[in-house]
């Protein structure tokens, strides 16, 4: 089912997952499958690689997309060069390290940046994001250039392969 170069988009039932999805769309995380490993940027470990059995978790929903013209060798070289980079928890475009979609856009440079959103349908900046940035001691980077998983998934350059997969499907 997983093929080299597949992009894995994730919907998760966590507070952060809900906040990201409320602000941006269907997905809260994105990763890429290369040569049997899943490459992604995580809060806990920064940019890292995991075996699929360690990546896929119960309670999350996964959709697979593909960029048909991907050069997996080149993308993997870029991904490998960023392993160990920290997680960009500020989501600022010049923040140290990478957040998940920023990492994918860096190693597969086919995506545009868009103005970042932090609302929830009722407020321009949701309470979750106000509290999150208050704890970081930073202003919310509203409308700063960035990416998010849902935006990457809507790229006309990607083809959706499979939807609504669960950990038991892998």
């Amino acid at each position: 089912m997983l093929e080299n170069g597949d992009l894995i988009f994730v919907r998760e039932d966590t507070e952060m997952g809900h906040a990201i999805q409320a602000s941006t769309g269907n997905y809260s995380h994105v990763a890429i499958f290369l040569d049997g490993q899943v490459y992604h940027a995580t809060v806990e470990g920064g940019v890292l690689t995991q075996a699929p059995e360690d990546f896929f978790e119960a309670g999350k929903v996964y959709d697979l997309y593909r960029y048909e013209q991907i050069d997996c060798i080149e993308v993997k070289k870029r991904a490998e060069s960023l392993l160990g980079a920290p997680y960009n928890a500020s989501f600022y475009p010049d923040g140290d390290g990478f957040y998940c979609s920023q990492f994918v856009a860096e190693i597969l440079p086919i995506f545009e940046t868009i103005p970042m959103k932090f609302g929830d349908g009722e407020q321009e900046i949701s309470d979750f994001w106000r509290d999150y940035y208050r704890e970081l001691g930073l202003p919310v980077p509203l409308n700063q250039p960035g990416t998010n998983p849902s935006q990457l998934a809507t790229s006309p350059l990607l083809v959706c392969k499979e939807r609504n997969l669960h950990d038991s499907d892998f």
Side-chain angles (χ1 to χ4, degrees):
M1 174 184 314
L2 277 173
E3 294 179 77
N4 203 26
D6 282 352
L7 293 170
I8 306 162
F9 289 88
V10 185
R11 290 188 295 272
E12 55 191 328
D13 191 18
T14 63
E15 188 178 19
M16 175 69 94
H18 285 291
I20 293 169
Q21 290 160 190
S23 296
T24 64
N26 291 329
Y27 305 109
S28 55
H29 191 66
V30 61
I32 189 166
F33 183 72
L34 295 164
D35 291 340
Q37 294 288 304
V38 178
Y39 290 76
H40 60 132
T42 70
V43 173
E44 301 83 14
V47 176
L48 52 79
T49 181
Q50 288 182 291
E53 58 270 18
D54 296 327
F55 174 79
F56 293 103
E57 297 177 27
K60 296 182 180 181
V61 179
Y62 304 91
D63 292 348
L64 300 179
Y65 285 74
R66 184 148 193 85
Y67 173 58
E68 296 293 343
Q69 288 78 40
I70 191 167
D71 178 346
C72 289
I73 294 169
E74 188 57 37
V75 171
K76 185 178 178 191
K77 277 186 205 167
R78 291 184 193 126
E80 294 275 330
S81 76
L82 299 176
L83 286 175
Y87 185 74
N88 178 1
S90 75
F91 303 103
Y92 273 78
D94 59 352
D96 192 26
F98 298 90
Y99 53 89
C100 67
S101 60
Q102 185 182 34
F103 168 69
V104 169
E106 181 72 20
I107 65 169
L108 183 59
I110 62 169
F111 304 102
E112 302 291 325
T113 59
I114 59 169
M116 302 223 3
K117 302 292 180 211
F118 295 88
D120 60 7
E122 296 175 17
Q123 305 174 81
E124 187 175 46
I125 300 172
S126 73
D127 292 340
F128 175 90
W129 291 116
R130 277 185 214 289
D131 293 343
Y132 180 87
Y133 281 95
R134 187 177 305 117
E135 287 181 30
L136 289 179
L138 294 169
V140 178
L142 186 65
N143 295 320
Q144 290 286 318
T147 59
N148 68 66
S150 297
Q151 169 237 344
L152 269 53
T154 62
S155 170
L157 300 174
L158 299 185
V159 174
C160 182
K161 285 180 52 179
E162 297 195 50
R163 290 191 188 276
N164 298 318
L165 301 170
H166 298 270
D167 66 307
S168 58
D169 295 320
F170 294 96

